């Protein structure tokens, strides 16, 4: 088994994997409805919402597309400060939406004042940002962005990609006044890949009802109709839902606050080591709690490093896109514990020592 210190998929606990071995059930029967009903309050606790959380058999990109189809009537502002936030813009264009890029230097956060300068035109009815940009290890201040929109642009929806941070960093859907917040199963929640989840506000659902051509599979209105019956519109990945049930039990047994605190301690340890041995890409004050992007100032052979780490039973990630080779990423999310991080950093130190 290889221990994964990559930004997903993450390690899955054996009890969660074993939950998939349950016998198959029909998705229109009472057994499934009981399972789905049991999942909803657990998901709402993780999302910090009393509202709905839709469940999709898709990657997070599916619900990203859903947000665009259901939430944009006029024009959307897409914050782009890395490879995965660029996907917001790509999804908008692919769905025929009028989209404007707010380009920010990689390694920098998207800040409220940047958004304010664009929204002042009055052209936009939605803003799309990534909370945790895994290509750079930057966490943008979603709470402050939400406060800006609430105070100055109350008719503009805020749609947030939290694929690599929900369950590992603080995101309070209700208190912050978010409209769409989505994540995937295989990151901080430490479940198998294949599911995604979105909290959707009442006003976002109401807006969806006014937008034509929302598509079929990711229609919020249809998802709502079936959610009220503890069902999904089409056949879900039932075995993955059993695994999700077990994974959420682990999250809630640890306690959400305790889990977030563990992720903070992991991030602090990796950042302290990275600042001493290398350098960090992300600007100070806006650094991810779940993945650290490290500048390869030593010009070490990252392929050789990962080959070395494989002999120790673990794996990290190279840089992404234009940062490939120039950076490497250490993820510390999901089931990762502090002793795991200490062991990994010791092995990287060992590789550096023998490579120098």
């Amino acid at each position: 088994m290889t221990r994964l210190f990559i930004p997903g998929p993450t390690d899955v606990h054996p009890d969660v994997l074993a939950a998939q071995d349950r016998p198959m059930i029909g998705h229109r029967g009472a057994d499934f409805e009981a399972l789905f009903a049991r999942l909803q309050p657990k998901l709402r606790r993780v999302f910090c919402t009393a509202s709905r959380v839709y469940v999709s058999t898709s990657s997070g990109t599916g619900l990203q597309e859903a947000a665009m189809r259901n939430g944009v009537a006029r024009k959307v502002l897409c914050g782009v400060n890395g490879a995965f936030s660029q996907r917001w813009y790509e999804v908008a264009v692919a769905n025929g939406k009028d989209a404007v890029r707010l380009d920010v230097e990689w390694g920098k956060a998207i800040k409220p004042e940047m958004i304010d300068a664009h929204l002042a035109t009055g052209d936009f009815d939605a803003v799309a940002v990534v909370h945790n940009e895994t290509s750079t290890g930057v966490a943008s201040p979603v709470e402050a962005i939400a406060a800006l929109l609430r105070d100055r642009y109350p008719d503009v929806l805020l749609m947030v990609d939290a694929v690599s941070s929900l369950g590992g960093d603080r995101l309070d859907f209700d208190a912050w006044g978010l409209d769409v917040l989505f994540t995937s199963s295989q990151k901080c929640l430490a479940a198998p890949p294949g599911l995604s989840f979105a909290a959707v506000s009442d006003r976002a659902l109401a807006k969806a009802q006014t937008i034509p051509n929302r598509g079929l599979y990711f229609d919020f209105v249809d998802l709502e109709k079936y959610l009220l019956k503890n069902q999904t519109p089409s056949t879900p990945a039932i075995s993955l839902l059993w695994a999700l049930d077990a994974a959420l039990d682990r999250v809630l047994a640890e306690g959400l606050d305790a889990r977030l605190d563990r992720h903070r301690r992991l991030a602090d340890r990796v950042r302290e080591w990275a600042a001493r041995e290398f350098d960090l890409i992300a600007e100070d004050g806006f650094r991810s709690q779940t993945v650290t992007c490290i500048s390869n100032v030593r010009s070490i052979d990252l392929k050789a490093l990962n080959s070395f780490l494989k002999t120790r039973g673990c794996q990290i990630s190279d840089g992404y896109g234009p940062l490939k080779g120039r950076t490497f990423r250490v993820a510390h999310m999901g089931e990762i514990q502090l002793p795991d991080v200490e062991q990994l950093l010791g092995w990287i130190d060992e590789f550096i020592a023998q490579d120098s």
Side-chain angles (χ1 to χ4, degrees):
M1 173 181 170
T2 300
R3 201 73 202 268
L4 299 175
F5 295 88
I6 62 176
T10 57
D11 293 328
V12 179
H13 191 275
D15 290 348
V16 177
L17 290 173
Q20 297 175 97
D21 290 339
R22 288 175 177 264
M24 190 52 57
I25 58 176
H27 70 294
R28 293 290 183 246
D31 289 342
F32 177 82
E33 289 172 7
L35 168 62
F36 207 69
R38 189 164 69 248
L39 289 170
Q40 190 61 204
K42 297 176 185 179
L43 285 167
R44 292 182 186 187
R45 287 174 65 185
V46 174
F47 276 83
C48 298
T49 183
S51 187
R52 64 197 60 77
V53 179
Y54 297 140
V55 178
S56 173
T57 299
S58 68
S59 68
T61 307
L63 288 179
Q64 189 172 38
E65 188 156 338
M68 281 295 171
R69 290 183 183 182
N70 290 266
V72 181
R74 300 199 318 273
K75 183 182 291 189
V76 58
L77 179 66
C78 301
V80 178
N81 63 334
F84 295 95
S85 49
Q86 180 170 305
R87 190 169 296 174
W88 266 126
Y89 179 76
E90 294 168 349
V91 168
V93 172
N95 280 277
K97 301 298 182 178
D98 188 358
V100 173
R101 295 172 60 120
L102 166 56
D103 282 293
V104 177
E105 179 185 350
W106 284 35
K108 305 294 184 183
I110 297 166
K111 302 181 178 73
E113 57 271 22
M114 302 171 181
I115 290 173
D116 191 18
H118 284 75
L119 295 189
T121 64
D123 295 335
F124 299 91
D125 66 325
V127 172
V129 296
V130 167
H131 172 238
N132 196 75
E133 176 55 70
T134 51
S135 65
T136 60
V138 168
S140 289
V142 167
E143 182 178 10
I145 293 169
L148 167 73
L149 268 60
R150 190 168 58 248
D151 294 343
R152 299 197 57 188
Y153 308 99
D155 295 329
V156 177
L157 296 190
L158 179 56
M159 310 186 300
V160 180
D161 172 343
V163 165
S164 61
S165 56
L166 190 97
D169 200 354
R170 177 66 62 186
L171 286 151
D172 195 322
F173 186 83
D174 286 355
W176 295 0
L178 308 182
D179 291 297
V180 180
L181 177 68
F182 70 90
T183 194
S184 297
S185 54
Q186 77 279 9
K187 307 277 187 171
C188 298
L189 299 182
L195 297 174
S196 55
F197 322 100
V200 175
S201 69
D202 288 344
R203 70 173 192 157
L205 178 59
K207 184 176 183 181
Q209 293 169 341
T210 70
I211 296 177
N213 303 317
R214 296 184 301 270
L216 178 66
Y217 194 74
F218 298 116
D219 180 1
F220 284 169
V221 178
D222 207 30
L223 286 166
E224 178 73 8
K225 180 175 72 174
Y226 280 88
L227 178 65
L228 294 175
K229 300 185 291 185
N230 291 313
Q231 294 181 358
T232 55
S234 53
T235 308
I238 296 170
S239 298
L240 293 180
L241 292 176
W242 287 118
L244 173 67
D245 192 32
L248 291 174
D249 283 345
R250 289 186 58 79
V251 171
L252 297 175
E254 181 177 8
L256 187 58
D257 287 340
R259 191 176 186 87
L260 302 186
D261 184 63
R262 172 169 60 84
H263 280 78
R264 279 191 292 270
R265 286 184 281 112
L266 298 177
D268 287 344
R269 178 65 182 99
V270 175
R271 288 196 293 253
E272 179 273 327
W273 171 86
R276 185 181 69 247
E277 299 293 338
F278 292 88
D279 201 358
L280 295 165
I281 291 293
E283 64 176 313
D284 191 22
F286 300 94
R287 289 171 179 163
S288 167
Q289 300 289 70
T290 62
V291 57
T292 299
C293 186
I294 301 165
S295 181
N296 187 16
V297 294
R298 293 175 177 265
S299 298
I300 61 174
D301 185 334
L302 298 178
K303 185 175 181 180
L305 171 59
N306 244 340
S307 294
F308 172 81
L309 292 175
K310 187 174 181 180
T311 68
R312 303 299 194 268
C314 61
Q315 179 185 349
I316 62 171
S317 287
D318 199 340
Y320 197 92
L323 296 180
K324 186 176 179 65
R326 297 166 49 201
T327 65
F328 61 97
R329 294 170 295 156
V330 175
H332 26 82
M333 65 176 78
E335 294 284 348
I336 298 296
Q337 305 292 325
L338 189 57
D340 302 321
V341 165
E342 296 290 1
Q343 192 172 55
L344 171 70
L345 299 181
W347 284 329
I348 299 177
D349 286 337
E350 182 182 343
F351 175 83
I352 293 170
Q354 71 179 29
D355 191 52
S356 59

